[in-house]
Amino acid sequence: MDVSRESATRRAVRGRVAIRPFRASDSIEALTRLLHRAYGPLAKLGLNCTAAFQGPEMTRQRVEHGHCLVALDGKALVGTILVNAEIPNTLGAQFGRPEVASLHQFAVAPQCQGRGVGSLLLSRAEEYVAGQGLAAIALDTAEPDPRRVAFFVRRGYRSIAPIQWSGKTYRSVIMSKELLGG
């Protein structure tokens, strides 16, 4: 696809996609299936990412302890991101800054990847964190997935440190971004 057609496709998808907080009436099962589909390619590579295998009860628990945003294309669930702004934050503590927010369960439906949905979700999550008065945001992502790492680098995140989480078959990299106005 040439650059002008790709840009037009991104604009069309962005124009159709609505980002909003997850509601009690939304389906935890549908959210769990989205996570499984989005993280499935990593699971096929042997990476045991939590979101690739978690059941609906774990999804519910994680959503209840954060600010979950969803992306909808019409009525279709096409993306999600979970913000944890509770302090102290264990992910932030990994690099000596427990006062930062963290991102989790960041997923875009495979058929929508590369079309700007993830960028929209990430922007809204960053806006939410800044609105909570926090100056920074952190995340961890699978180090063996250079595409994901590069996505965050393009969005202004910097690599802080590699980490080997207990029970994981891969190393992660902790990344962070300073937010304006926090």
Side-chain angles (χ1 to χ4, degrees):
M1 182 182 295
D2 68 34
V3 175
S4 61
R5 281 184 47 202
E6 182 176 343
S7 295
T9 301
R10 281 178 177 256
R11 283 192 304 274
V13 168
R14 285 183 187 180
R16 291 192 320 250
V17 172
I19 309 293
R20 66 163 173 78
F22 185 83
R23 298 177 182 153
S25 61
D26 290 333
S27 170
I28 286 289
E29 291 77 13
L31 185 61
T32 302
R33 285 191 303 272
L34 169 69
L35 293 167
H36 291 179
R37 287 193 322 272
Y39 283 86
L42 294 176
K44 286 179 183 172
L45 294 174
L47 282 64
N48 61 340
C49 303
T50 302
F53 301 102
Q54 71 190 36
E57 188 52 37
M58 179 178 276
T59 302
R60 182 182 318 285
Q61 289 172 4
R62 293 178 89 183
V63 167
E64 288 173 353
H65 291 97
H67 179 70
C68 183
L69 297 171
V70 293
L72 300 166
D73 185 353
K75 292 183 179 183
L77 177 63
V78 296
T80 188
I81 193 167
L82 181 69
V83 180
N84 179 355
E86 293 181 12
I87 305 303
N89 187 305
T90 56
L91 188 56
Q94 294 296 322
F95 61 97
R97 298 206 38 212
E99 74 281 2
V100 304
S102 59
L103 299 178
H104 308 273
Q105 295 191 158
F106 184 27
V108 175
Q111 73 275 15
C112 295
Q113 292 177 6
R115 296 185 174 178
V117 175
S119 291
L120 285 171
L121 281 164
L122 190 56
S123 291
R124 288 289 181 83
E126 291 169 355
E127 290 168 9
Y128 174 78
V129 169
Q132 299 299 302
L134 299 172
I137 194 164
L139 60 91
D140 71 299
T141 194
E143 192 175 57
D145 187 352
R147 193 181 75 147
R148 287 179 192 253
V149 173
F151 170 81
F152 291 113
V153 168
R154 285 191 307 273
R155 294 298 310 254
Y157 287 76
R158 63 185 179 89
S159 182
I160 301 297
I163 189 164
Q164 179 66 52
W165 297 110
S166 177
K168 294 300 174 189
T169 58
Y170 60 94
R171 247 177 28 160
S172 291
V173 60
I174 296 176
M175 303 181 82
S176 75
K177 180 178 181 178
E178 298 296 317
L179 301 174
L180 299 177

